[in-house]
Amino acid sequence: SVQKIMRFLTNKTSQVNVLILDACRDNPFEQNWNPQARSTDGGRGLAKIPAPTGSLIAYSTDAGNTAADGDGTNSIYCLSLTKNMQIENTTLDQVFRNVRTDVLKASGGSQRPVEASQLTGDAFYLKKGTFSNEIILIDSLIEVKDYKKGLELVIAILNEDKNNKSALIRKGRLYNIDGENELAKEAFDLAINLYPRDKETFMYRGRYYFVVDEKGKALQDLHQAIELDSNYVDAYFYLGLVYQDLENADKALSNFTKAIELDDHNSKIFGFRGDFFEKILKDYNAALLDYSEAIKLNPNLTWNLYK
């Protein structure tokens, strides 16, 4: 029974439960019980069931009606539903409104999907937007030091998705670059609280601690990032920089070298290791080899980084 399924779901969580019934059909056994059933409206479709608090029950057609099977493998309701569930940044309510529009059109108005909803709290999204294009633009703005525009875009993303990890990280980076260190730390801390098993959040907070000269905390976060992903190139690279500042040449070199082993096409890391060989170890031959490799990988390198 539907009630049994709903009890199972609500026992799991009282926050958001969704039950979709694409099953509004004539009862195939009813004619055996009542030969006159198919000539009346009483035997058609499913009755409407009230949704428990925190739940939504969706029906492929209204109570007392039957739904079209469609011409293919799936019903017109199912086809519309699977399409609309994949649209980013569309609330659950809007998904079912879109489906209703599609099915009414496809059925010529004869099939009208309905929902019984008792959802509470904030809008629920089946597929949150990644804002991937906006994040790429923000990164490019960071490169050209247009921090004001970058921050405007970050805040716009967070207004739509307050827990967006990529936006929180870039908010921290932008505030850090702009000298607003407390606001930067607040953004990084929130990202880690929300995503405590995410390597990127720890790596970027480690970078932040390095910039503000809290090297002990930087080491802790960068090692945590590597614990989460032992092949995390950026974490090894920044560990190299931190150990270089701490005048621990052996650990600096081992981390720079590990980063290159994992990514031997990264011109930046070759350039920085070359700088380390030249200025710290005074190993000019090794420095020249790394500088040459960096330039080979990227002939457009800004030379003053590696002079």
Side-chain angles (χ1 to χ4, degrees), residues 89-159:
N89 284 337
T90 304
T91 65
L92 186 62
D93 291 334
Q94 186 63 52
V95 166
F96 286 106
R97 285 200 293 272
N98 293 347
V99 170
R100 183 157 37 254
T101 300
D102 287 350
V103 173
L104 280 167
K105 182 177 180 181
S107 67
S110 63
Q111 181 177 335
R112 183 172 69 96
V114 296
E115 301 81 46
S117 177
Q118 287 295 323
L119 295 176
T120 59
D122 295 335
F124 181 79
Y125 296 85
L126 290 169
K127 192 169 184 178
K128 283 278 193 179
T130 60
F131 300 97
S132 55
N133 291 332
E134 291 86 347
I135 295 297
I136 291 170
L137 177 56
I138 292 167
D139 286 343
S140 69
L141 292 169
I142 291 173
E143 289 294 322
V144 299
K145 297 181 169 55
D146 190 347
Y147 308 133
K148 182 179 179 182
K149 180 63 176 176
L151 197 56
E152 287 175 359
L153 286 172
V154 163
I155 291 171
I157 293 172
L158 292 173
N159 282 339

Side-chain angles (χ1 to χ4, degrees), residues 11-268:
N11 284 336
K12 293 289 185 182
T13 177
S14 61
Q15 293 181 349
V16 177
N17 284 297
V18 181
L19 176 61
I20 300 168
L21 293 168
D22 185 12
C24 296
R25 303 290 190 269
D26 286 330
N27 187 331
F29 303 105
E30 188 167 13
Q31 195 169 28
N32 295 331
W33 306 328
N34 179 5
Q36 303 302 315
R38 290 190 179 274
S39 64
T40 68
D41 289 337
R44 294 173 61 82
L46 294 175
K48 191 173 290 185
I49 303 164
T53 301
S55 301
L56 180 146
I57 303 177
Y59 303 85
S60 57
T61 194
D62 209 348
N65 289 288
T66 54
D69 282 322
D71 297 327
T73 303
N74 298 302
S75 69
I76 57 175
Y77 179 77
C78 180
L79 291 172
S80 175
L81 185 65
T82 53
K83 175 188 74 175
N84 282 285
M85 287 170 68
Q86 297 300 316
I87 301 174
E88 291 186 355
N89 284 337
T90 304
T91 65
L92 186 62
D93 291 334
Q94 186 63 52
V95 166
F96 286 106
R97 285 200 293 272
N98 293 347
V99 170
R100 183 157 37 254
T101 300
D102 287 350
V103 173
L104 280 167
K105 182 177 180 181
S107 67
S110 63
Q111 181 177 335
R112 183 172 69 96
V114 296
E115 301 81 46
S117 177
Q118 287 295 323
L119 295 176
T120 59
D122 295 335
F124 181 79
Y125 296 85
L126 290 169
K127 192 169 184 178
K128 283 278 193 179
T130 60
F131 300 97
S132 55
N133 291 332
E134 291 86 347
I135 295 297
I136 291 170
L137 177 56
I138 292 167
D139 286 343
S140 69
L141 292 169
I142 291 173
E143 289 294 322
V144 299
K145 297 181 169 55
D146 190 347
Y147 308 133
K148 182 179 179 182
K149 180 63 176 176
L151 197 56
E152 287 175 359
L153 286 172
V154 163
I155 291 171
I157 293 172
L158 292 173
N159 282 339
E160 290 192 43
D161 179 6
K162 64 182 179 181
N163 295 334
N164 185 281
K165 184 196 74 173
S166 296
L168 285 170
I169 287 172
R170 280 148 184 84
K171 183 180 181 182
R173 291 179 64 190
L174 287 160
Y175 276 133
N176 188 199
I177 293 167
D178 206 30
E180 297 282 356
N181 292 331
E182 288 302 315
L183 292 173
K185 184 176 182 300
E186 184 180 297
F188 288 129
D189 286 349
L190 177 56
I192 285 175
N193 287 335
L194 290 169
Y195 307 99
R197 300 294 299 168
D198 185 86
K199 63 180 182 179
E200 194 178 23
T201 58
F202 282 99
M203 194 280 293
Y204 275 106
R205 193 176 69 173
R207 281 183 56 176
Y208 157 79
Y209 280 131
F210 174 54
V211 170
V212 299
D213 205 28
E214 294 191 48
K215 296 185 180 64
K217 292 180 178 179
L219 290 176
Q220 187 175 359
D221 274 359
L222 292 169
H223 279 297
Q224 180 63 35
I226 288 171
E227 186 175 319
L228 292 167
D229 181 359
S230 60
N231 295 321
Y232 195 9
V233 174
D234 285 348
Y236 286 109
F237 170 65
Y238 282 102
L239 274 174
L241 292 179
V242 176
Y243 280 122
Q244 179 176 325
D245 265 24
L246 290 171
E247 300 181 356
N248 189 328
D250 289 342
K251 287 188 175 181
L253 180 57
S254 68
N255 280 285
F256 284 137
T257 301
K258 180 67 174 179
I260 287 173
E261 288 173 358
L262 293 168
D263 183 5
D264 60 2
H265 287 77
N266 192 315
S267 61
K268 179 181 74 172

